[in-house]
Amino acid sequence: MGFILGSFLSLACGGEMSGQKSMGIFASKCAVVFLVASGMFMEVGFAAMPSVPRDLTVSDPLDDLLVLASVNNGATDSIVKNIQLVKSECRNYAPAYRIDCLSQGLKQVASRIPGGEYDQARAILSRAASKLGSLVARNVDAEAEVIESKPNANPHFKAKRRYRAVKKAALGAVMKEAQAIVEEAVTQLMRSYENGDRRSVHYQKIAKATDSMKVLLRS
C-alpha cells in the first residue's frame, strides 16, 4: 500500500518526491496530511495545487488544532482558586511571615499557569513573587524562628515550605513595599489586554484575585 501510494504521489507531483518518506509528504504541487486521533492515522486529504502562487505562505493545518492554552473559564478559575488558596494559607501566619508565604505561594501559582494566552499572567505573577522574595531577603530577621508550612495548609501545594520573618522594626515599611509590588502586578494584569478583547475578562479575574492579597499586608 505504501509503495503504491508513494509511486502515485511521485507521478502526481512531477517526480518531486525523490528522497521523501511516505509520511509527512509535502511537494509544491500536492499535500497529504495525516492527523493522529485516538492512536490512529486519519487521512485528511490529497489535492493537486498547481494554481497556488509561489509567494503564498500555506499554513500548517495542524496549527489550529494545537493552540496551547487559549483562555478559557476552566483554566482561569483554576488560577484564581490557586491564588485564593495561597491567601487562605498565608493569613494563618503572623504578619512578619506573610510576605515570604505570599512570595513562595505566587511562585507556585505561576509555575502551574499554562503557556499560550496565559503567558503574560505567568510572567507577571512570577516577577511579583521574585520581588517579594527579594524584599524578604533584604529585611530578613536572622534571629527569628524559621517556620514550616502547616500540614494541609494548601491542598494544591502539599510540599513543605519554610517561611522567614522580616524584622519587626521594619515591618511597617516592608508591608507598604509589598503592597506596592502586588499593586504593580494587578495593574499589569489589568492592562495586558484592552477592554473588549476576549482575553481581558480572564486577566481581570486573575487581577482581582491577586489584588485581594493586599488585605494580608497590613501590619
Side-chain angles (χ1 to χ4, degrees):
M1 181 65 180
F3 175 80
I4 295 174
L5 177 60
S7 299
F8 178 74
L9 290 174
S10 180
L11 291 173
C13 298
E16 296 180 16
M17 296 301 298
S18 176
Q20 297 290 332
K21 301 289 185 181
S22 59
M23 292 295 296
I25 299 171
F26 182 86
S28 61
K29 297 180 181 178
C30 64
V32 175
V33 178
F34 288 95
L35 300 178
V36 179
S38 299
M40 298 179 64
F41 289 105
M42 177 174 64
E43 182 174 339
V44 172
F46 170 81
M49 302 187 294
S51 60
V52 177
R54 292 181 179 274
D55 60 347
L56 179 62
T57 301
V58 180
S59 62
D60 185 341
L62 291 180
D63 287 348
D64 292 336
L65 302 176
L66 297 177
V67 174
L68 296 176
S70 296
V71 291
N72 62 84
N73 290 331
T76 299
D77 289 347
S78 179
I79 296 168
V80 169
K81 180 64 174 177
N82 283 338
I83 293 173
Q84 291 171 340
L85 287 173
V86 169
K87 177 185 172 184
S88 294
E89 177 192 353
C90 296
R91 67 158 37 112
N92 293 320
Y93 303 121
Y97 292 91
R98 289 178 182 174
I99 299 174
D100 200 17
C101 178
L102 291 176
S103 170
Q104 294 188 47
L106 281 178
K107 182 178 180 180
Q108 290 286 335
V109 171
S111 71
R112 295 194 178 194
I113 295 177
E117 293 182 335
Y118 289 103
D119 271 343
Q120 291 192 56
R122 181 174 58 188
I124 291 168
L125 293 184
S126 179
R127 190 159 52 243
S130 295
K131 288 183 177 181
L132 289 173
S134 296
L135 180 60
V136 172
R138 293 196 305 270
N139 296 276
V140 68
D141 186 346
E143 297 181 359
E145 177 188 6
V146 176
I147 63 174
E148 287 190 350
S149 58
K150 298 178 181 179
N152 300 316
N154 189 326
H156 286 193
F157 308 140
K158 295 185 178 181
K160 283 188 176 181
R161 294 169 297 283
R162 294 168 61 83
Y163 301 130
R164 300 164 297 170
V166 298
K167 297 174 182 177
K168 290 183 179 180
L171 185 58
V174 173
M175 284 290 199
K176 288 182 179 179
E177 192 170 345
Q179 287 180 30
I181 291 171
V182 174
E183 287 175 359
E184 179 185 36
V186 171
T187 300
Q188 291 173 346
L189 287 165
M190 293 291 289
R191 293 179 178 176
S192 293
Y193 295 103
E194 296 180 358
N195 289 334
D197 188 296
R198 63 185 178 78
R199 293 163 291 192
S200 177
V201 65
H202 295 272
Y203 272 66
Q204 288 175 12
K205 289 180 180 179
I206 298 171
K208 183 177 180 180
T210 304
D211 188 62
S212 71
M213 289 182 164
K214 289 190 301 184
V215 71
L216 302 181
L217 298 173
R218 296 171 184 168
S219 58

